[in-house]
Amino acid sequence: MDTSLKTETTARLAIADSNEAAQQNLEHRTGTSIEAIKQAFLENLFFVQGKPVALATKHDYYMALAHLVRDRMLYRWNGTAESYTQDRCRTVCYLSAEFLMGPHLGNNLINMGIYDQVKAAMEELGLDFEDLLAQEVEPGLGNGGLGRLAACYLDSMASLEVPSLGYGIRYEFGIFEQGISQGWQIERTDKWLRHGNPWEVARPEWATEVMFGGHTESYTDAAGDYRVRWVPSQEVLGTPYDTPILGYQVDTANTLRLWKAEAIESFDFEVFNQGDYYGAVEEKVSSENLTKVLYPNDETLAGKRLRLKQQFFFVSCSLQDMFRILKGQTIPVEEFHEKFSIQLNDTHPAIASAELMRLLVDEYHLDWNIAWEITQQAMAYTNHTLLPEALEKWPISLFGSLLPRHLEIIYEINTRFLELVRMRFPKDSARLERMSLIDESGERYVRMANLACVSSHTINGVAKLHSELLKQTVLKDFYELFPEKFCNMTNGVTPRRWIALSNPRLTKMVTEKIGEGWLKELEKTKQLESLATDSGFQDEWHEMKSAAKRELAGRIHQQFGVLVDPTSMFDVQVKRIHEYKRQHLNALHIVTLYSQLKQNPQMEILPRTFIFGGKAAPGYHMAKLMIKLITSVGEMANKDPDLRNQLRVIFLPNYNVTNSQRVYPASDLSEQISTAGKEASGTGNMKFAMNGALTIGTLDGANVEIRDAVGAENFFLFGLTADEVAKMKFEGYTPRDYYLGNPYLKDAIDLIASGHFSHGDGSLFQPLLDKLLYQDPFMLLADYQAYVDCQRTVSKAYQDQRRWLEMSILNASRMGYFSSDRSVQEYCQRIWKVSPAPVDIDRYIKVSGRFGGELSCKLH
Ligand code: F58
């Protein structure tokens, strides 16, 4: 027997042996009794963290706990992978430049159904469970709604047992950490990986190479066919980092696969040998820069070279990964679109169609028409914005220097596409210009939304109104050409994170009344409607809300030293800071109340605590000035004895998923006051209502559908409609007339302009006020009076506590439609044509053995 064979046999025996042992003795890695959890925790502290109890920090405790939870996820994860591979399941690939997952620990405990045992185990060990959860630094790999939507959809896909892969970028630095200094936003780097990430597994064996730059060459292959080859000037390695995404109360654990960029050769010996030590690692540094940082912009992003590189990098890695999977399952490339359904989360991954064409035509030598058919059948595009300035476009020069082959492919797609347009709409050159994938009106650009529309089989908006407006405005031409491609998929949010995890009191109450099961079928909460007028249930509801408010008030006091009255109405606006979202309209209302109280100190108003939270894009000066306005008004109002504690204004710094989970349960009033026609959908609006907050809002985004669902009588509506906004703009809008014609508005604006909130500095807020008076693109002044009147109605309603509680209960019980489970089911039926593929872990263990039967045979 030669030695290598001997070693192999020994290894096989050893594995068989350990498999056997494992059958009997894995309790400490899989057991879910309180005892088993305690045991595993202590073992992890010792063997994973390498610390005796005496030296362990809170973070060590968190890591020990996270690892034991991870162990318990791995059966499901491995079993799911094996089951999908064996059954060669059709799979959704959700391509998104952002995934705003939020902290994993609590969510995994909920989805695995071991939250209570783990809590008890930690408490028996004398540890504060909440404190442990709070140790987790959330992966802030997204800006806001778009990234969080992707996270909710991953949760729902796993819970619905839909085979799916989330593909994105593993940014080393996520969204910046916001601080407030002298009322201004300051930004700090988010170092979420500093203490390690227990939720991911690196898979260097599946790393892929990505090319950039260079040029293309044509040649004739052996069969005499014309071919093109891309000769790049740079190559980068993408390593996947996988995170398991557990479904709720099922055995399915899908995968979020995020790519990290690395140099192919981390050290250049040739350069080193010439004596240049620093030069030798330069390539490594420059390659790794690619996935260093998330662009912290909301809505608009100027054409940045690194950003385009990031987009292409993750898209190319992901598509190549799909081909690897095809190969592993011996599926022919011609069946790519049958195996995979690719969803483009906005245009950020839209380069995928050109890259898929390149791979199919240049690498796999498919005929152009066949490749195009596959591409179109594989891709679908979700649009998330109506703001025309937010539609991505890339200067041709930049695009061509980075992706020369893709530019050629896009030109070819465009030539064929414009031929089609010409046939359908002869002699309509204006239309051709508008629809072209290339903007030629000045400097030439590649239009990514046009590329996404042309290469997708389905295009969807994210709320009814948004989908309608898309067809009438930004994508009108595409709708006229391909009406059958368009549909609406109203957004939804996962009730596991946004109710079960965020609001355990509400969860307990609901379960007591209607039993288990509603977190999987949120429509079941309808059954609570009959309790809306039950005074006993109302009292419980009131106590639930009050407890959450007391908790938040406690935190505010502890962190900022400001006392807020938990019996006051909590009036909350938390979201990215943007002019179209109109946080400054909210501020104008506060200033109006403030001014009235100052002028008439006897006046009694409904005591309110105004709470704001949200980040401004670092380069968005107006948004930063809006933050400064809010904090400045707060500074004056919070300390003024004349107001007799009737008004508090709080700006919560660093609004993120973790903090938001404490805010929704404690809110009475949800501010959804964007200019009608500007907010594509909104998802915060849903989270508030599910937690029993009432909405004051415009007819914008999903507000329209929320109002229909909860009942117009349980929703505070104000403001111009999208049509009225458009009409008024068309006819000519002069905001100054509103200022001159409304003494309350004039008073509020004049008070700000006087420097009252800025230590006498009348110029500080001038840019903001000038924009309102002379441009007001988001029509605050036109909506001001309606808003203030509506707020008066809100105050009156709140004073009738019984009626308010009834409305609050009705809101929460009628939000079933806004579960992301419903959205994902619609995507599955209308767009993805994917069905659930349930995973049965018991079967997996029986058939494959504890560690999966493949292991010993694959070893040689
Ligand atoms: C948001 N978009 C929409 N973009 O504004 C919101 O109405 C909608 O509910 C949500 O998508 C989900 O559909 C959004 O969050 C971004 O954050 C982009 C990230 C990349 C840079 C440009 C903005």
Side-chain angles (χ1 to χ4, degrees):
M1 197 187 263
D2 77 21
T3 41
S4 70
L5 196 63
K6 210 161 108 194
T7 327
E8 188 196 300
T9 313
T10 324
R12 251 198 267 171
L13 283 176
I15 281 166
D17 204 33
S18 64
N19 235 344
E20 187 109 316
Q23 298 283 357
Q24 295 132 28
N25 192 24
L26 265 183
E27 178 68 3
H28 68 304
R29 298 203 105 164
T30 59
T32 54
S33 67
I34 296 180
E35 265 328 296
I37 290 165
K38 278 162 55 180
Q39 196 56 39
F41 177 81
L42 294 170
E43 272 185 35
N44 284 352
L45 210 50
F46 197 89
F47 290 110
V48 178
Q49 288 307 102
K51 287 267 181 82
V53 175
L55 291 182
T57 63
K58 267 188 200 170
H59 184 260
D60 290 322
Y61 293 146
Y62 159 74
M63 290 295 266
L65 177 54
H67 273 100
L68 82 82
V69 174
R70 185 178 120 157
D71 280 346
R72 281 147 186 79
M73 289 163 78
L74 286 181
Y75 267 123
R76 294 168 174 84
W77 203 18
N78 289 334
T80 303
E82 184 161 358
S83 159
Y84 289 171
T85 306
Q86 255 167 26
D87 300 346
R88 304 155 112 215
C89 296
R90 178 162 167 81
T91 302
V92 177
C93 297
Y94 200 87
L95 264 59
S96 179
E98 305 190 358
F99 285 93
L100 194 46
M101 299 303 290
H104 290 287
L105 177 56
N107 200 249
N108 286 333
L109 294 176
I110 297 263
N111 282 12
M112 217 189 302
I114 59 168
Y115 192 95
D116 292 337
Q117 295 95 297
V118 168
K119 185 167 191 273
M122 293 305 107
E123 281 164 3
E124 285 186 20
L125 288 171
L127 296 169
D128 181 338
F129 180 60
E130 291 299 323
D131 220 22
L132 284 184
L133 290 181
Q135 292 307 306
E136 182 170 352
V137 182
E138 70 170 77
L141 310 187
N143 271 286
L146 172 148
R148 184 52 231 177
L149 187 79
C152 283
Y153 284 1
L154 291 188
D155 180 272
S156 284
M157 286 189 273
S159 299
L160 293 164
E161 306 179 295
V162 172
S164 70
L165 271 161
Y167 279 115
I169 301 174
R170 184 178 177 275
Y171 300 103
E172 187 177 337
F173 304 122
I175 188 73
F176 64 87
E177 200 182 295
Q178 179 196 53
I180 298 293
S181 172
Q182 300 184 332
W184 292 98
Q185 166 174 301
I186 51 165
E187 298 98 26
R188 287 184 289 257
T189 321
D190 156 68
K191 303 200 186 83
W192 71 287
L193 287 167
R194 194 172 27 188
H195 301 295
N197 174 12
W199 305 106
E200 67 185 6
V201 177
R203 312 264 191 215
E205 68 279 18
W206 291 339
T208 61
E209 291 180 11
V210 178
M211 308 191 273
F212 291 102
H215 63 276
T216 63
E217 288 170 0
S218 59
Y219 66 100
T220 310
D221 69 9
D225 289 324
Y226 172 85
R227 305 248 166 251
V228 178
R229 127 176 14 106
W230 177 14
V231 184
S233 57
Q234 191 196 3
E235 284 180 80
V236 176
L237 196 69
T239 299
Y241 284 70
D242 287 359
T243 301
I245 306 295
L246 209 58
Y248 177 65
Q249 289 183 347
V250 289
D251 287 339
T252 298
N254 287 334
T255 296
L256 168 61
R257 181 159 293 161
L258 301 179
W259 299 96
K260 178 185 184 214
E262 278 159 29
I264 292 185
E265 285 292 342
S266 61
F267 196 84
D268 188 331
F269 272 101
E270 217 166 288
V271 179
F272 182 66
N273 287 336
Q274 288 159 15
D276 181 2
Y277 178 76
Y278 289 101
V281 289
E282 197 178 280
E283 165 116 355
K284 177 173 164 63
V285 172
S286 98
S287 300
E288 289 182 359
N289 275 343
L290 207 58
T291 51
K292 266 282 168 240
V293 60
L294 165 77
Y295 276 92
N297 284 5
D298 182 73
E299 301 307 331
T300 39
L301 245 176
K304 292 256 172 30
R305 189 180 166 86
L306 185 62
R307 171 78 179 175
L308 179 58
K309 280 185 98 172
Q310 289 185 335
Q311 295 184 351
F312 178 69
F313 167 74
F314 99 86
V315 162
S316 178
C317 287
S318 308
L319 286 169
Q320 292 186 64
D321 197 52
M322 292 174 217
F323 281 100
R324 178 187 61 76
I325 294 171
L326 276 188
K327 193 172 168 204
Q329 298 181 13
T330 58
I331 300 173
V333 291
E334 287 80 359
E335 290 169 24
F336 182 95
H337 57 292
E338 288 164 28
K339 170 71 186 174
F340 297 114
S341 178
I342 298 177
Q343 191 66 37
L344 307 175
N345 198 23
D346 216 297
T347 55
H348 320 134
I351 186 66
S353 60
E355 173 68 348
L356 182 53
M357 284 300 287
R358 185 189 71 81
L359 290 165
L360 291 171
V361 173
D362 294 355
E363 306 280 333
Y364 292 99
H365 295 178
L366 258 52
D367 169 76
W368 177 280
N369 291 318
I370 294 173
W372 182 239
E373 201 50 38
I374 294 172
T375 300
Q376 276 191 311
Q377 291 198 42
M379 309 265 167
Y381 157 54
T382 304
N383 172 290
H384 294 267
T385 185
L386 285 159
L387 304 184
E389 68 270 24
L391 296 180
E392 281 194 306
K393 50 183 195 172
W394 296 104
I396 294 275
S397 50
L398 183 138
F399 198 98
S401 72
L402 220 49
L403 303 169
R405 179 59 182 142
H406 299 79
L407 188 56
E408 290 173 1
I409 290 172
I410 287 172
Y411 284 148
E412 181 64 27
I413 297 173
N414 200 32
T415 306
R416 291 165 185 245
F417 168 63
L418 291 180
E419 198 47 50
L420 181 85
V421 181
R422 226 175 264 122
M423 266 160 50
R424 271 293 312 280
F425 302 95
K427 301 201 189 101
D428 191 346
S429 60
R431 185 184 295 266
L432 281 177
E433 272 170 36
R434 293 193 304 267
M435 296 189 81
S436 171
L437 305 189
I438 311 296
D439 176 350
E440 313 208 47
S441 54
E443 190 191 346
R444 295 170 72 226
Y445 293 95
V446 182
R447 294 167 163 154
M448 298 311 275
N450 295 28
L451 176 63
C453 286
V454 173
S455 32
S456 297
H457 58 83
T458 308
I459 301 159
N460 76 282
V462 289
K464 260 188 207 160
L465 174 68
H466 171 234
S467 297
E468 283 310 309
L469 293 174
L470 272 183
K471 296 191 279 186
Q472 291 165 26
T473 61
V474 287
L475 301 182
K476 183 168 188 278
D477 293 319
F478 290 94
Y479 176 62
E480 284 168 3
L481 183 64
F482 307 123
E484 69 291 343
K485 281 195 188 185
F486 282 74
C487 70
N488 172 54
M489 293 284 141
T490 298
N491 284 167
V493 302
T494 169
R496 272 74 65 180
R497 182 174 292 274
W498 299 111
I499 304 178
L501 183 61
S502 314
N503 202 341
R505 292 185 190 90
L506 173 63
T507 306
K508 185 161 171 279
M509 262 180 85
V510 175
T511 305
E512 274 166 15
K513 295 296 170 197
I514 67 173
E516 305 273 347
W518 59 278
L519 284 163
K520 255 180 166 344
E521 288 169 81
L522 200 63
E523 295 281 4
K524 284 192 169 156
T525 52
K526 271 238 148 34
Q527 295 166 45
L528 293 172
E529 274 186 27
S530 58
L531 293 168
T533 49
D534 177 317
S535 61
F537 190 70
Q538 284 184 352
D539 291 343
E540 272 184 68
W541 194 266
H542 180 254
E543 179 44 35
M544 175 266 293
K545 207 23 106 189
S546 304
K549 289 168 71 178
R550 286 195 297 271
E551 238 170 58
L552 185 62
R555 277 181 187 278
I556 291 172
H557 184 226
Q558 201 188 350
Q559 284 180 19
F560 319 111
V562 181
L563 274 174
V564 307
D565 175 7
T567 68
S568 65
M569 186 174 85
F570 281 17
D571 177 338
V572 186
Q573 188 169 18
V574 283
K575 49 180 80 241
R576 285 299 285 253
I577 310 293
H578 204 291
E579 288 165 277
Y580 86 79
K581 295 180 188 280
R582 302 200 295 192
Q583 282 91 354
H584 44 347
L585 177 59
N586 190 342
L588 282 179
H589 170 239
I590 300 173
V591 171
T592 297
L593 289 179
Y594 173 90
S595 172
Q596 287 171 355
L597 283 168
K598 288 295 279 181
Q599 286 167 35
N600 180 5
Q602 311 320 322
M603 198 171 101
E604 294 279 329
I605 62 161
L606 173 78
R608 288 200 199 210
T609 301
F610 292 92
I611 297 173
F612 291 85
K615 295 174 185 177
Y620 187 178
H621 300 294
M622 198 55 83
K624 289 181 141 177
L625 196 52
M626 286 162 69
I627 294 180
K628 176 64 176 166
L629 175 64
I630 293 161
T631 55
S632 303
V633 171
E635 192 192 328
M636 293 299 286
N638 296 348
K639 66 172 187 211
D640 192 330
D642 286 357
L643 307 189
R644 290 172 294 118
N645 295 328
Q646 297 185 89
L647 221 160
R648 284 273 181 281
V649 183
I650 307 291
F651 189 94
L652 296 175
N654 202 35
Y655 181 69
N656 57 13
V657 175
T658 310
N659 296 331
S660 76
Q661 289 175 194
R662 301 171 181 133
V663 170
Y664 296 118
S667 300
D668 295 307
L669 188 66
S670 151
E671 298 271 354
Q672 305 302 334
I673 59 176
S674 51
T675 318
K678 300 293 177 196
E679 188 69 88
S681 163
T683 43
N685 46 6
M686 301 169 188
K687 297 163 196 169
F688 275 109
M690 282 180 187
N691 283 280
L694 302 195
T695 306
I696 181 166
T698 48
L699 280 180
D700 199 15
N703 293 354
V704 180
E705 290 155 82
I706 293 175
R707 178 167 172 267
D708 286 344
V710 304
E713 65 287 7
N714 303 307
F715 186 106
F716 299 99
L717 178 71
F718 78 96
L720 298 169
T721 63
D723 285 346
E724 287 165 348
V725 166
K727 184 160 177 273
M728 204 178 242
K729 283 226 164 127
F730 180 75
E731 287 170 357
Y733 167 57
T734 42
R736 228 182 120 72
D737 294 348
Y738 288 86
Y739 164 79
L740 294 172
N742 185 330
Y744 295 102
L745 175 58
K746 183 166 185 308
D747 177 72
I749 289 182
D750 290 350
L751 191 59
I752 299 170
S754 74
H756 182 84
F757 299 106
S758 40
H759 306 280
D761 179 358
S763 66
L764 182 64
F765 298 116
Q766 208 55 48
L768 193 150
L769 298 177
D770 282 349
K771 187 146 184 201
L772 290 182
L773 289 170
Y774 302 106
Q775 301 173 34
D776 196 16
F778 301 107
M779 308 201 121
L780 277 78
L781 303 202
D783 270 344
Y784 167 84
Q785 195 55 51
Y787 180 56
V788 171
D789 291 344
C790 191
Q791 285 286 19
R792 201 166 300 136
T793 313
V794 170
S795 293
K796 239 184 241 145
Y798 194 77
Q799 268 147 359
D800 182 354
Q801 271 290 302
R802 289 283 159 202
R803 171 73 189 122
W804 185 276
L805 286 165
E806 181 190 343
M807 292 196 287
S808 167
I809 296 166
L810 287 176
N811 263 265
S813 53
R814 293 174 176 173
M815 287 298 290
Y817 179 79
F818 300 94
S819 163
S820 44
D821 295 348
R822 187 270 313 153
S823 315
V824 162
Q825 272 161 337
E826 287 181 3
Y827 275 94
C828 283
Q829 284 155 21
R830 167 74 172 81
I831 302 182
W832 301 333
K833 316 279 187 222
V834 174
S835 327
V839 176
D840 182 348
I841 287 303
D842 292 336
R843 197 199 70 165
Y844 162 72
I845 292 172
K846 237 176 262 157
V847 173
S848 305
R850 287 244 176 208
F851 292 141
E854 294 292 286
L855 188 62
S856 48
C857 27
K858 278 227 172 116
L859 203 80
H860 48 102

